[in-house]
Amino acid sequence: MAPPDDDLRYLSPSFDPSSLTMAELRNIFMTHDISYPASAKKPQLVDLFTQELKPRSRKILAARDRVRRTSKGITNMPSSQEETVNSDVDDSGSMPPPPTPKQRKPRKSTRTSAESDAMAASAMVKTMNARNSSAKFTRHSDTETDQDHEPRQPSVRRKSRKSEAVPNVKVEQADEAPVRPSLKGGVFSDENPFQSGSSPLEPVEHRRKTAHSSSDKRKSSSGRRKTDSVALDSAEQPGSVISSTSKTFGIPVASLNRPSSEDDRDKTVEAGEDFTPEEQLELVRDRAVQGKRDILPPRRKPKPSRSFGTIPKSAPWVVVLALLGGYATWWRQEKLAVGYCGIGRSSHALSNVEFPRWANALQPVCEPCPQHAICFEDMETQCEDGFVPQSHPLSLGGLIPLPPTCEPDGERARRVKAVADRAVEELRQRKAEAECGVVISATGAVVSEEMTEEDLKKEVAKKRRRAMGDAEFEDLWKGSIGEIKGREEVSSSSDGSSLARISISCAVRRSARLTVARHRVSLSLITLTVASLLYIRSLIRTARNDTARVPPLVATTLDRLATQAALHARGDAVESWISVGQLRDDILRDEFSAKRRESLWKPVAAVVERNANVRASVREGRSGDVSRVWEWTGSLGMLDEPWSNGRVSGTGKRVNFGGAVDDNTPNGSTTPSAVDTPGQEDTIGHCLKYRPKYQRGFYEEEFLGESSLIVDVRSVIRELLEAEDLDGDCLITVNDPGPKSFYLKILNPHGRQEIRITGTYHLANLLQELFHAQRRGQNYVDLNPASLSENPVRRLQRLIQSSWWNNLIRSIDESGIGLAAKDFKPSEVDDGRARIYVPRGVPEQYAYYLKIAREQPTTNLDVQWLPEGEVTAEFIKSLNDKPGILALEMEEDPATKRLTGLPFIVPGGRFNELYNWDSYFCAISMIDTHPHVVKSILRHFIFEIKHYGKILNANRSYYLGRAQPPFLTDLALRVYTATKHEAGSKELLRHAVLAAMKEYHHYWMTPPRYDAVSGLTRYRPIGSGIGPETPASEFAHMLKPYAEKYSMTIDEIGQAYTYGAIKEPQLDVFYLHDRALRESGHDTTKRLEGICADLGTIDLNCLLYKYETDIAQTIRNEFDDNFPVSSAFCAPGQEADHVESSAVWDRASRRRKSLIDKYCWNEDKGSYFDYNTVTQTQTDFEYVTCLWPLWCGIANPHQAALLVQKTLPKFECLGGLSTSTLQSRGPIDAKNPPKQWDYPYGWAPHQILAWDGLKRYGYHEDAERLVYKWLYMITKVFVDFNGTVVEKYDVTQPKTPHHVNAEYGNQGLGFKYAPQEG
């Protein structure tokens, strides 16, 4: 077998198919009719080459070798390949030329002979020219070889005349080029245009063609001669001389330059088989050597060129169309680049070119994102679930970039309606069966005409088609249940039921029932009207009867009072007066209703007290009860002994406060006291409006005025604690087993006397008031009696607003840096210096603090720069041995031209810095009383985002990598609403929104916090090791195994791990989640322990949804939807001074809502849960943050209803909402110790957000109930435990909810005498 040439080199056995490109491999497969996958990669194509083509290579090459050259051109092969091979192949391997005639007439003998010869030669040469010319436009025939394109050597000429007329035929060797096999295994390919049965090539109009066929084809009636051979272009052989056709004989020479017409080309004489084209060429050349002139073919007349000065008439239209086409192309590209508003780039392609206003319409503008769509760049659109995209009618199949719309999925709606129809039909059937009868089940039980949702679902599921799966039916059922419930006949009556078989009696009863139901509104109104009239008539009659009873009751009352006075004058009665309450109950003893007695007695009392013979007063009875009394002062003519006979004695000086008896009056004798002493009733929440005189234990009605109690502070505190504080904690609580009765020694101009004070609340208030006086340096204090029995709610509110807030305010300037810089959290590496870190963007602050360090050396202040750029975990760890406070916002004092630190609130206790969400909840509580502090807190948050990239957990150096739950936008809107009338309020709102945008893009929406797979955001701060704010002993349960492993103490192993002396991957993972847990603000809880960094928590994503909606509404409502972003607030990658619109944030909020519904909502449980982005599963830990979607407005009404019905009861306890459920927390043991953010503890932030969320959705009663429970619990602890207010409560405990057994105890305890911060 001959080796393959270059065209078929891939058929060589040693050929490596991997050296071919994918295009070459596909071309080879097409050539050999081998199917291959359209998406196949190169390795697959190489394998296909090896498996399919290589085994056939020998067969293909053998078939190619059987192809022989012939002077007949390309002819059809016989149907049998075997016959073709036997007839064409011989020993020489070539086809011999046709036999030449032995005699040939000389050329001069007959002109026809010579003319015929010349015509034959010319036709052969033209055939060659045509072949060469067509090769430029069509691929080579499979039977051609490279030798056809090489210059041919002329054959040896003969000297005789005969050789001129009959040239010698040159015998050539057979070509060895491979031939592409046919589809059926034959020699030729089915794609060969010259083979019989294939499609003919399109004719080329400018070529001259000669039909090379048998004689019988020349007799065809068409009269047009065709060629099957491919002509060679004469331009490729510039030195050749071509014989002319027969038309050149007998015509003038001038006509040779005229191009031949179509008729001439059609009448061209075909070449015979006497001469081959090569022999004819040699003949012509021989004649030229002998000096004989041969007739040349006519040359084409050159076309006259168009003058440059002539412009075609269509030129302007061509230019206009070209310009329009170019503009259309540019406009389409720009439209795709601009895309949807806020997603594509802004339209600035021609921003450097000034256009008139009317020309702005020529530039493409952004399109708003369609409703129910999720939009991407290049105007790519994806519809939400349940919606399908619908192309714009003018988009022309996407040629014009116009946004589509998202239409409801009609097919799914149809199927949902079908399910709903089937369910309603099932209900109708049940109603018809149960009408006036009883439905008996298969088990014999009575079945109600009503069906539960689950039963109805089962019945409908039985009748579904077999091909429908459970998941598909479940999806359709969820979609149809709302439509089923919304149909009137389902909720009201039996419309559509079949009643053909009911009895007459049943029909009568049914008709009556339906008549009543049909007119139920009218009947109800009539009944209500009649009942109202009867009730009013009853009231009128009762009022008349009561009015008629007043005179007899007044007479009876006066008689009783006169009788009591007479008995007292005779000595038969101890008192001359009667208690009003006792008198009322005695006279109206037949009335058993307290309300009825009160209504009857009210007009009687009004008449009696206006009687001049009756005196009303407040006196102390024998049992020690102080009450209002009536005494008869009129004439006692019936008495035998005068008033003067009564004996008066006694000198008691002890008076009562809070309900004690006078025990110094012997035998009950009456003598007025010489000293008037102010008093106060002990009922909580009621302040006396009168100044009673203590005379023999009763009060005279007199206005209290400015009376006060002057006491010795130190001595009273000492005596009070000795008497009441029996447990030694310097507090008076319900736990103290003391007498709860104290005689307060007062000083006044009349000498020394005592007032008795009883009750835990009053005694604790006395201790607190005395302690505050002692702190002010007072030895004597003028006590206001009203402060001892002040309403607990008002007292608590007053203390918060006037005292506790002020004690928690800090500022970082020369007046407050000494206190603000103190860090009370345990830190083993703190060097004890007050240190402040200043960001590079505020050099004036750096200079200011350096000046303070020089002027106040006692502060021992160390001022440090923070580095520029992003803060890394390693840098934060490098500050562990020199922690410090971080600078906050300052302003210049206009009077002194010096910087002044803006105030802020700290949580108190060991937390002495500006915290994130702690400050938010403090701010919304003090915005009415301390608006300047709230505005300062907002400005501090903006400063932190601007210079630290986020609102920090707190402004300490070890918190540089950690944030907290973001509430900035809500705080900004609250401040703006409260201060809208003030100058600069809108500018402050603008800066707050800018800061929120930067924090959103720069921190919360960047990896590793943003999870690109789910689209949710996680708590995941940067850091390494153990932070200095938490000692290693706090993690003893985690570090103990490693301490034993390395033979170290807990503190030593903590230091070794933090600074890299040991490497423990498990500790790395633990502290990654621990930092995330602390960033969440819920440190600590079982819900987040060990997985927090992997969770897309419902609370964080709700807060970011609130960011998105607040920003969108603020831009739209306050800034006219045009909000430029300055470079100071641009996140990395954002263009400076770009303009934000509300559409971008609306779209972001809709996307986040859909993601929360997809990953966090659980329809079956009716609640929200966290989503684990690593395991891609929804957690099942029940936590109170599932109610935050109500606060931020992300829940729809259906979800809100399920939350209130199913979820809220799980968290509601005696004192409010618990953080988690008992079931989720699990039992408490060594492996699951109690945690402060788990059941049964409740925190104020969760309560406040739940209240606001419930009210937002209209559940006001539930909100008010929860408010009351929480405030009652706080107030009760405040009253019973010496004014205690703490950060968290055990909401399940009725007596001591402030006692917390968790890792950090409870903030707000540990004070003495009186709380300072709450």
Side-chain angles (χ1 to χ4, degrees), residues 257 261 266 379 769 825:
N257 295 328
S261 65
D266 291 342
M379 296 193 74
E769 296 297 328
K825 290 182 291 298

Side-chain angles (χ1 to χ4, degrees), residues 43-336:
Q44 295 174 304
L45 295 178
V46 171
D47 293 341
L48 190 61
F49 182 96
T50 305
Q51 297 171 5
E52 297 291 338
L53 185 59
K54 214 155 193 179
R56 296 163 51 185
S57 61
R58 296 176 60 88
K59 184 177 180 181
I60 295 172
L61 291 177
R64 174 209 174 269
D65 290 342
R66 290 193 292 271
V67 178
R68 295 295 178 262
R69 197 175 189 87
T70 175
S71 60
K72 297 180 181 180
I74 301 176
T75 60
N76 290 334
M77 295 297 294
S79 60
S80 175
Q81 180 180 354
E82 191 175 22
E83 180 184 353
T84 303
V85 173
N86 295 335
S87 61
D88 289 348
V89 180
D90 56 11
D91 296 336
S92 61
S94 64
M95 176 69 71
T100 57
K102 297 182 179 179
Q103 294 182 355
R104 187 178 184 84
K105 295 182 180 181
R107 181 178 182 184
K108 293 181 182 182
S109 61
T110 305
R111 180 165 180 167
T112 305
S113 177
E115 185 176 353
S116 177
D117 295 340
M119 291 173 62
S122 177
M124 293 179 182
V125 175
K126 289 180 180 179
T127 302
M128 296 174 61
N129 293 339
R131 183 185 300 115
N132 193 19
S133 175
S134 65
K136 298 180 180 179
F137 304 100
T138 60
R139 61 187 180 85
H140 298 300
S141 174
D142 294 322
T143 58
E144 291 178 357
T145 63
D146 293 340
Q147 296 175 1
D148 296 337
H149 304 286
E150 296 177 359
R152 302 182 183 274
Q153 300 294 334
S155 60
V156 181
R157 298 192 307 254
R158 296 186 179 181
K159 301 297 183 180
S160 63
R161 177 80 174 179
K162 184 178 179 180
S163 65
E164 296 176 1
V166 185
N168 204 7
V169 178
K170 181 180 179 180
V171 179
E172 299 177 352
Q173 296 293 330
D175 294 334
E176 296 180 357
V179 178
R180 181 174 60 187
S182 67
L183 299 178
K184 299 179 180 180
V187 176
F188 297 109
S189 170
D190 288 344
E191 297 178 357
N192 190 341
F194 303 104
Q195 185 176 348
S196 176
S198 62
S199 300
L201 295 177
E202 294 181 343
V204 182
E205 295 298 329
H206 67 276
R207 297 177 183 169
R208 303 190 65 172
K209 303 180 180 178
T210 302
H212 188 77
S213 61
S214 61
S215 61
D216 57 307
K217 290 188 179 180
R218 287 201 300 270
K219 298 177 183 179
S220 172
S221 62
S222 65
R224 182 179 181 89
R225 304 180 184 272
K226 301 180 181 180
T227 180
D228 293 334
S229 60
V230 182
L232 297 175
D233 192 351
S234 60
E236 295 183 4
Q237 300 179 8
S240 63
V241 180
I242 304 173
S243 300
S244 64
T245 64
S246 60
K247 296 291 185 180
T248 58
F249 291 95
I251 60 174
V253 178
S255 65
L256 297 176
N257 295 328
R258 183 173 69 248
S260 61
S261 65
E262 183 68 20
D263 294 339
D264 295 336
R265 288 193 293 269
D266 291 342
K267 297 177 181 179
T268 302
V269 180
E270 62 180 354
E273 297 182 1
D274 294 339
F275 298 98
T276 63
E278 291 83 358
E279 293 170 343
Q280 180 65 26
L281 180 59
E282 291 176 4
L283 179 60
V284 173
R285 288 178 176 173
D286 289 343
R287 291 173 60 85
V289 172
Q290 295 174 6
K292 296 180 182 181
R293 182 177 178 181
D294 209 346
I295 299 176
L296 299 176
R299 300 182 180 178
R300 294 184 180 179
K301 186 176 181 179
K303 296 182 180 180
S305 61
R306 189 181 298 273
S307 173
F308 290 101
T310 304
I311 300 177
K313 294 182 179 181
S314 61
W317 294 104
V318 173
V319 173
V320 172
L321 291 176
L323 291 176
L324 291 177
Y327 168 75
T329 303
W330 168 84
W331 187 88
R332 186 178 188 276
Q333 294 176 349
E334 285 296 310
K335 185 69 174 180
L336 291 174

Side-chain angles (χ1 to χ4, degrees), residues 338 405 471 538 780 1139:
V338 172
T405 58
S538 175
Y780 298 93
V1139 178

Side-chain angles (χ1 to χ4, degrees), residues 508-712:
V508 173
R509 293 195 304 272
R510 179 179 178 276
S511 177
R513 184 175 66 254
L514 293 180
T515 302
V516 173
R518 187 180 306 112
H519 301 286
R520 62 184 180 277
V521 176
S522 301
L523 294 175
S524 299
L525 291 176
I526 294 173
T527 304
L528 181 62
T529 302
V530 172
S532 300
L533 292 176
L534 293 176
Y535 179 72
I536 294 173
R537 179 172 174 269
S538 175
L539 290 178
I540 294 174
R541 287 187 174 185
T542 302
R544 289 176 180 176
N545 293 335
D546 292 346
T547 303
R549 292 182 63 183
V550 170
L553 291 175
V554 170
T556 304
T557 302
L558 295 177
D559 289 343
R560 291 287 304 273
L561 291 175
T563 302
Q564 182 69 19
L567 293 175
H568 175 70
R570 281 202 312 261
D572 295 335
V574 178
E575 296 93 357
S576 62
W577 41 266
I578 302 177
S579 170
V580 174
Q582 293 176 350
L583 183 61
R584 176 198 62 199
D585 293 342
D586 185 31
I587 295 176
L588 299 176
R589 65 173 66 92
D590 295 334
E591 296 289 343
F592 300 103
S593 172
K595 184 177 180 181
R596 174 77 174 149
R597 283 199 305 268
E598 188 64 31
S599 63
L600 282 173
W601 186 254
K602 188 175 182 180
V604 173
V607 174
V608 172
E609 291 196 353
R610 287 196 300 267
N611 194 302
N613 296 316
V614 177
R615 179 175 62 185
S617 62
V618 178
R619 297 194 181 186
E620 182 180 0
R622 286 170 295 176
S623 60
D625 297 330
V626 178
S627 61
R628 188 176 183 80
V629 300
W630 287 339
E631 183 179 6
W632 180 263
T633 59
S635 173
L636 297 175
M638 61 179 179
L639 298 177
D640 296 336
E641 296 183 10
W643 173 269
S644 58
N645 289 345
R647 184 175 182 85
V648 179
S649 63
T651 58
K653 295 184 179 180
R654 179 170 295 178
V655 296
N656 175 64
F657 183 85
V661 297
D662 185 357
D663 55 350
N664 285 331
T665 303
N667 301 324
S669 60
T670 61
T671 176
S673 174
V675 180
D676 294 338
T677 305
Q680 179 87 11
E681 68 176 357
D682 63 344
T683 303
I684 295 176
H686 297 80
C687 299
L688 290 179
K689 297 182 180 179
Y690 300 94
R691 179 190 176 191
K693 293 183 179 180
Y694 283 83
Q695 294 182 357
R696 192 183 161 272
F698 67 88
Y699 303 114
E700 290 284 351
E701 290 187 356
E702 186 175 341
F703 188 69
L704 182 59
E706 301 295 332
S707 297
S708 57
L709 305 176
I710 301 175
V711 298
D712 184 341

Side-chain angles (χ1 to χ4, degrees), residues 9 15 157-159 170 250 274 318 437 466 499 536 599 668 779 781 786 1001 1042 1054 1316:
R9 68 185 187 279
F15 181 76
R157 298 192 307 254
R158 296 186 179 181
K159 301 297 183 180
K170 181 180 179 180
D274 294 339
V318 173
R466 295 182 179 180
L499 305 175
I536 294 173
S599 63
N779 294 326
V781 63
H1001 290 298
Y1042 299 96
Q1316 301 300 307

Side-chain angles (χ1 to χ4, degrees), residues 805 808-811 887-891 901-907 913-927 929-946 950-953 955 964 967-972 975 988 991-992 995 1107:
W805 282 143
L808 294 174
I809 293 177
R810 305 284 188 270
S811 62
L888 296 176
E889 182 66 283
M890 303 185 76
E891 64 180 3
L902 298 180
F904 58 90
I905 287 288
V906 300
E913 45 274 329
L914 174 69
Y915 280 80
N916 185 340
W917 74 327
D918 302 71
S919 299
Y920 163 77
F921 287 102
C922 292
I924 63 176
S925 302
M926 63 191 303
I927 194 169
T929 58
H930 297 73
H932 65 290
V933 178
V934 177
K935 290 176 64 177
S936 299
I937 292 173
L938 179 59
R939 293 180 61 182
H940 288 315
F941 285 167
I942 297 172
F943 180 91
E944 287 189 339
I945 293 175
K946 186 176 181 180
K950 54 188 169 294
I951 302 179
L952 301 174
N953 186 163
N955 62 323
Q964 259 194 338
F967 287 88
L968 176 61
T969 57
D970 189 73
L971 176 61
V975 171
L988 179 60
H991 280 85
Y1107 258 39

